[in-house]
Amino acid sequence: MRTTRLKRSTVALGAAGVLVSATLAAGAVSAPAANASTAARHGNTQDLQAYGAAVAAARAAKAGIDWQDCPADWGLATPIQCGYVTVPLDYAKPYGKQIKLAVDRIGNTGTKAQRQGALIYNPGGPGGSGLRFPARVTAKNPIWAKTAEAYDFVGFDPRGVGKSTPISCVDPQEFVKAPKMDPVPDSEADKRAQRKLAREYAEGCAERSGTMLPHMTTPNTARDMDVIRAALGEKKLNYLGVSYGTYLGAVYGTLFPGHVRRMVVDSVVNPSREKIWYQANLDQDVAFETRWNDWQDWVAKNDATYHLGDTRAEVQAQWLKLRATAKADPIGGVVGPAELLSFFQSAPYYDSAWASVASVFSAYVGGDTQALVDAAAPDLSDTAGNASAENGNAVYTAVECADAQWPTDWQTWDRDNTRLHRDYPFLTWSNAWMNLPCATWPAKQHTPVNVKTGKGLPPVLIVQSERDAATPYEGAVELHQRFKGSRLITERDAGSHGVTGLTNPCVNDRVDTYLLTGKVDARDVTCAPHATPKP
């Protein structure tokens, strides 16, 4: 489900500051305080967590954020500023152990009168860092220019990520070593080997990050986001979430409906309890096959440029030949099927990768092996990048494993993935091994939040492409049904993941209008697709 999943070459499983008034601060605590003793007597964890979130938010509102120039090694130049917000590790124990979350911001580019507050961003994952969000302003990204006039752009690293009390499951250099096992098993022995790797990975998470694991949940990250809102001095949240960030937004909107001012969710994770997370990943396998076919059709249409075949079948044959070659003798000694898949899956993820992936593929078929090695092999000298990749995968695993109950019997996994692989072979087994640590997860697994409309929730704007591979279209429809008054913008005949970052005036203008005025269309909207990539 991760937006960053295209980095799976590094997967170690063989697969691929303004203060609010004292009145507001006091009010944030007083509402649930009466329930605290009752919750404690009855062991009502949800009430305790709600109380704890209010305590933490009130505390943060008093403290604010000590904004400073960002540390040099964060790569965030002035006028972007950085700081930390303190939150409880366990919201049921708000006066217990605390952790720090890294946040950054850039002020609105318009006048004081134009300013509408802070816009908080999450890019997905789980495990993605949002700290690059303010750079959209310094880079003068035209898509976000109007919104930047009205809002401070605020990013953060969620708990466990990057600069926010990071977790780890394995040594990063070991994590990126290649080649890894072919994710498609040839035998029961291959499956046993992959199961062993998944179990050892789960054990490594416990050994290296055990105290964090029970609390690495989406609801806790949503509570963290409410504390950040309070620390910013904002009475209500303005939010933009992409990919997994849509599920974070959906959970936030359920837990804190009266705290939402504006919310845009883009490329939507299906929030159904029955989908989080095991079934959602199976659904993903089907959608990836569809989008893989779309890319192959495009490559075939542009055979004059790429010379990989003028039909989908011919392009697929070239892919299978490349895969077989890498399996028999890893290319450059490091690029096997797992590494190939990690590189090639960026094409069904993002249209922006279509041409670059096709170019590398074409160069290889034309005799340039090094271009493929450079693109697909890990760089052991990039220790910072490798640590970031390992951390991202650790958070991805920890959050998905903790959010929900997963099947613990191997027969279920084997049956479901064997069946899917027959018709949808591109991603199925790779996805299975990536998630299999959840079958032997060494920490508590929770029940997903029942996402629904609560009192005070304003209209939420949902944006989705029809043929998204990572977050299939049905997820947007499901959230639209659950959030009453929401509006759905569908990008027809398109499938790139993350629609709001693409140039499509039909989408961009409506996102601007919503964030600037709060207005949505009288009914749902279907937009023509953004421009097809050029070869």
Side-chain angles (χ1 to χ4, degrees):
M1 198 55 57
R2 0 179 0 195
T3 308
T4 50
R5 186 179 257 142
L6 61 98
K7 295 182 181 290
R8 200 190 271 116
S9 61
T10 58
V11 172
L13 307 184
V18 179
L19 303 184
V20 295
S21 68
T23 302
L24 176 60
V29 179
S30 61
N35 295 328
S37 59
T38 301
R41 284 199 307 273
H42 293 87
N44 189 322
T45 302
Q46 289 183 336
D47 282 352
L48 282 172
Q49 290 170 330
Y51 171 74
V55 168
R59 198 159 52 203
K62 290 179 181 179
I65 301 173
D66 180 18
W67 294 110
Q68 305 283 343
D69 288 347
C70 301
D73 62 350
W74 289 23
L76 299 165
T78 54
I80 299 172
Q81 295 178 302
C82 293
Y84 287 95
V85 174
T86 301
V87 300
L89 174 63
D90 181 353
Y91 278 93
K93 300 175 181 177
Y95 301 103
K97 180 177 174 59
Q98 307 291 305
I99 59 175
K100 288 185 177 296
L101 307 180
V103 295
D104 67 345
R105 72 167 182 183
I106 191 167
N108 72 303
T109 61
T111 65
K112 185 176 180 180
Q114 285 178 288
R115 185 180 180 275
Q116 295 192 38
L119 177 64
I120 300 178
Y121 172 72
N122 180 273
S129 168
L131 293 180
R132 296 299 304 171
F133 183 52
R136 295 189 184 183
V137 181
T138 56
K140 302 186 185 304
N141 185 315
I143 293 173
W144 297 100
K146 292 179 182 178
T147 298
E149 288 181 344
Y151 290 94
D152 305 345
F153 277 26
V154 175
F156 73 104
D157 275 354
R159 58 171 55 206
V161 175
K163 313 299 181 185
S164 295
T165 320
I167 67 169
S168 172
C169 292
V170 65
D171 177 81
Q173 294 299 99
E174 290 295 319
F175 178 74
V176 303
K177 279 187 177 177
K180 294 175 170 57
M181 284 185 65
D182 184 347
V184 177
D186 289 328
S187 64
E188 289 301 313
D190 285 350
K191 293 178 182 179
R192 286 193 297 270
Q194 294 279 19
R195 292 170 64 191
K196 181 174 182 288
L197 288 169
R199 185 172 61 252
E200 290 172 347
Y201 185 83
E203 292 167 353
C205 295
E207 291 169 5
R208 297 170 72 97
S209 306
T211 58
M212 291 280 288
L213 296 187
H215 312 291
M216 289 293 297
T217 66
T218 301
N220 277 340
T221 301
R223 297 178 184 110
D224 292 345
M225 202 154 62
D226 199 57
V227 178
I228 293 171
R229 170 201 59 77
L232 289 166
E234 301 287 335
K235 291 184 178 180
K236 294 198 174 187
L237 179 81
N238 303 291
Y239 178 70
L240 169 63
V242 183
S243 193
Y244 165 77
T246 67
Y247 185 56
L248 176 58
V251 171
Y252 183 93
T254 300
L255 297 180
F256 304 99
H259 292 188
V260 179
R261 179 177 179 267
R262 310 264 162 84
M263 180 178 286
V264 179
V265 288
D266 169 8
S267 304
V268 182
V269 171
N270 194 317
S272 165
R273 280 176 156 177
E274 289 69 36
K275 298 290 188 179
I276 302 296
W277 283 103
Y278 179 74
Q279 187 61 48
N281 282 284
L282 296 179
D283 292 348
Q284 207 178 45
D285 300 337
V286 177
F288 258 96
E289 198 75 30
T290 298
R291 197 59 180 160
W292 173 249
N293 290 341
D294 289 349
W295 176 72
Q296 291 184 319
D297 286 340
W298 178 85
V299 172
K301 184 179 178 182
N302 291 285
D303 184 50
T305 299
Y306 299 117
H307 312 294
L308 293 167
D310 58 9
T311 66
R312 183 199 301 172
E314 290 178 349
V315 177
Q316 175 71 358
Q318 289 278 19
W319 159 250
L320 294 175
K321 180 181 178 181
L322 170 60
R323 201 185 185 289
T325 298
K327 183 179 179 68
D329 185 14
I331 299 162
V334 286
V335 178
E339 290 72 35
L340 284 177
L341 183 58
S342 178
F343 171 64
F344 275 84
Q345 70 179 340
S346 59
Y349 247 114
Y350 306 108
D351 290 8
S352 59
W354 279 18
S356 58
V357 173
S359 294
V360 170
F361 194 6
S362 177
Y364 171 83
V365 171
D368 183 358
T369 299
Q370 193 59 43
L372 182 58
V373 173
D374 291 345
D379 180 0
L380 293 177
S381 70
D382 182 14
T383 54
N386 296 338
S388 177
E390 190 279 323
N391 168 246
N393 195 79
V395 175
Y396 167 85
T397 309
V399 172
E400 293 212 359
C401 293
D403 266 357
Q405 306 290 322
W406 288 72
T408 57
D409 60 300
W410 167 244
Q411 289 77 14
T412 297
W413 292 77
D414 195 19
R415 177 200 67 210
D416 291 345
N417 288 282
T418 298
R419 173 179 53 82
L420 271 177
H421 176 76
R422 294 189 192 110
D423 295 322
Y424 312 101
F426 178 72
L427 192 69
T428 296
W429 277 116
S430 177
N431 216 4
W433 306 129
M434 184 173 186
N435 293 292
L436 190 59
C438 295
T440 57
W441 196 240
K444 180 178 175 60
Q445 295 183 323
H446 301 262
T447 300
V449 168
N450 181 26
V451 170
K452 60 183 178 180
T453 306
K455 184 178 180 180
L457 184 72
V460 170
L461 188 64
I462 302 169
V463 186
Q464 178 79 32
S465 65
E466 262 188 336
R467 301 174 72 81
D468 191 315
T471 53
Y473 184 76
E474 293 74 18
V477 175
E478 182 73 21
L479 182 60
H480 186 27
Q481 292 171 345
R482 288 169 178 263
F483 273 0
K484 295 188 172 91
S486 62
R487 284 293 177 269
L488 172 59
I489 300 175
T490 299
E491 193 184 27
R492 186 186 69 245
D493 297 332
S496 198
H497 191 60
V499 180
T500 54
L502 303 173
T503 301
N504 186 337
C506 179
V507 175
N508 305 145
D509 292 349
R510 285 177 167 84
V511 171
D512 277 344
T513 296
Y514 172 75
L515 288 172
L516 296 175
T517 71
K519 294 179 180 178
V520 295
D521 289 271
R523 57 184 61 85
D524 294 339
V525 175
T526 298
C527 292
H530 62 275
T532 301
K534 295 181 180 179

